[in-house]
Amino acid sequence: MNRNRKKVVAASVAVGMTMVMGVSPVLAANTDISKEETVYVNAAADGTPEDITVSDWLKNSASAGDLSDESDLKDIKNVKGDETFTENGDQLTWNTAGEDIYYQGTTDKELPVSVKLTYFLDGKEVKPDELKGKSGHLKIQVQYTNNEKKTVTVDGKEEEVYTPFVMMTGMILPNETFSNVTIDNGKVISDGSRNIVVGFGMPGLKDSLDMDEETTKEAEDKGVTIPENFEMEADVTDFTMSSTFTVALTDLLDDMDMDNIIDVDSLKDSLNELEDAALELVS
């Protein structure tokens, strides 16, 4: 494997159908003042975003009287206090009285990573609203797309690489409706009355590791894959299904020792550690 593969810049994010995303940029030279942002996305059954709500937490450990912030959110409101703000374009100035600030707003910006769900019944693609009450063999394809690239310097050259995301989608499938549940990239956990399905993917990671065709084939021969999607299959009776939940994380990738991935075997070890961490998070 290429030791000089591209390096990636991680931001802390989560996404869902319901989706959740977060970033923690420092607002000032004073490290006692920082910002944590979480994005909640409600999406249609095929993954199309319908509304996006952003929650920001200004951590005022320095007990500063005023905090300057930058935001292009709409309909901004304080959700945990009476502190007020003034705005000048995208610049916000909060009168904090020394307290942390929790505010919320909306946005229609493109998400850094997106999810598409496609449904098949007995081998034929169907729209999700056509499935209610149907019986047969169901397949759900979940495709992750990384929309976020950053420019980094590698060996003195500027390279465009994807921001790394570990995507996990969870489904709760009751036994009276779903049977013979399988998944290709993920895990099925049964508690006797329902199946909890967790699928995962890492869109853009293969490109970020600079895996060429030869390396990819060598990895696959050793049972190592870096999936960007997954498929869940089951036999269904009188189909009905609750919401799915998707989370996109980058802090799990922080735990991977990218600098020590020098061959396929070390990549396999790192991916196994990553999967263990993801399943522990699910538990």
Side-chain angles (χ1 to χ4, degrees):
M1 180 168 293
N2 186 356
R3 288 174 176 266
N4 296 319
R5 66 196 172 280
K6 302 171 185 175
K7 299 295 192 293
V8 274
V9 180
S12 180
V13 171
V15 187
M17 282 335 76
T18 303
M19 298 182 181
V20 192
M21 296 188 275
V23 213
S24 299
V26 174
L27 294 180
N30 188 339
T31 56
D32 289 331
I33 301 174
S34 61
K35 177 179 180 179
E36 184 174 298
E37 185 166 90
T38 306
V39 182
Y40 301 92
V41 183
N42 288 323
D46 64 356
T48 303
E50 293 184 331
D51 60 79
I52 305 172
T53 301
V54 182
S55 291
D56 285 313
W57 174 15
L58 303 183
K59 300 180 180 182
N60 190 13
S61 300
S63 298
D66 290 330
L67 282 183
S68 294
D69 186 21
E70 183 175 327
S71 177
D72 58 4
L73 298 178
K74 303 172 184 176
D75 304 319
I76 293 175
K77 60 182 179 181
N78 188 334
V79 295
K80 198 175 180 181
D82 299 322
E83 298 85 2
T84 59
F85 67 94
T86 57
E87 58 183 317
N88 181 12
D90 290 346
Q91 300 298 315
L92 307 181
T93 301
W94 287 90
N95 181 7
T96 72
E99 302 295 326
D100 287 4
I101 298 295
Y102 301 83
Y103 71 89
Q104 199 171 84
T106 61
T107 184
D108 55 8
K109 280 189 170 182
E110 181 185 45
L111 297 171
V113 64
S114 56
V115 185
K116 179 182 179 182
L117 287 84
T118 308
Y119 302 79
F120 300 84
L121 187 64
D122 294 330
K124 180 182 178 181
E125 183 175 347
V126 294
K127 296 180 180 178
D129 58 7
E130 298 173 345
L131 280 170
K132 184 174 176 60
K134 298 290 181 62
S135 300
H137 186 75
L138 174 72
K139 179 169 69 174
I140 302 178
Q141 292 180 342
V142 180
Q143 176 71 48
Y144 303 118
T145 301
N146 196 327
N147 305 314
E148 184 80 5
K149 279 190 172 183
K150 294 184 180 294
T151 301
V152 298
T153 302
V154 181
D155 296 334
K157 294 173 56 180
E158 287 194 344
E159 301 274 5
E160 272 200 336
V161 297
Y162 287 103
T163 298
F165 293 101
V166 176
M167 305 291 296
M168 294 188 295
T169 295
M171 308 175 186
I172 299 175
L173 311 176
N175 285 354
E176 60 265 25
T177 306
F178 293 82
S179 61
N180 302 319
V181 179
T182 61
I183 191 171
D184 56 356
N185 297 313
K187 188 162 186 172
V188 179
I189 306 166
S190 176
D191 67 0
S193 63
R194 60 188 176 177
N195 292 291
I196 301 168
V197 177
V198 181
F200 69 95
M202 291 164 278
L205 181 59
K206 187 185 296 184
D207 178 74
S208 297
L209 289 172
D210 252 357
M211 293 180 65
D212 56 24
E213 185 175 339
E214 180 181 349
T215 304
T216 300
K217 186 178 185 309
E218 179 188 355
E220 290 175 349
D221 288 344
K222 292 191 175 185
V224 180
T225 59
I226 302 180
E228 300 196 348
N229 53 63
F230 72 87
E231 292 184 356
M232 185 282 295
E233 297 190 47
D235 295 321
V236 296
T237 303
D238 193 19
F239 176 88
T240 183
M241 185 173 171
S242 60
S243 297
T244 66
F245 300 89
T246 299
V247 178
L249 302 168
T250 57
D251 49 357
L252 286 182
L253 286 170
D254 289 344
D255 294 334
M256 286 182 68
D257 191 355
M258 304 286 279
D259 290 330
N260 287 325
I261 298 177
I262 57 175
D263 54 30
V264 170
D265 289 328
S266 59
L267 173 62
K268 184 175 183 178
D269 290 341
S270 294
L271 290 175
N272 286 338
E273 291 175 8
L274 180 65
E275 183 175 358
D276 289 343
L279 292 174
E280 183 178 347
L281 177 64
V282 171
S283 299

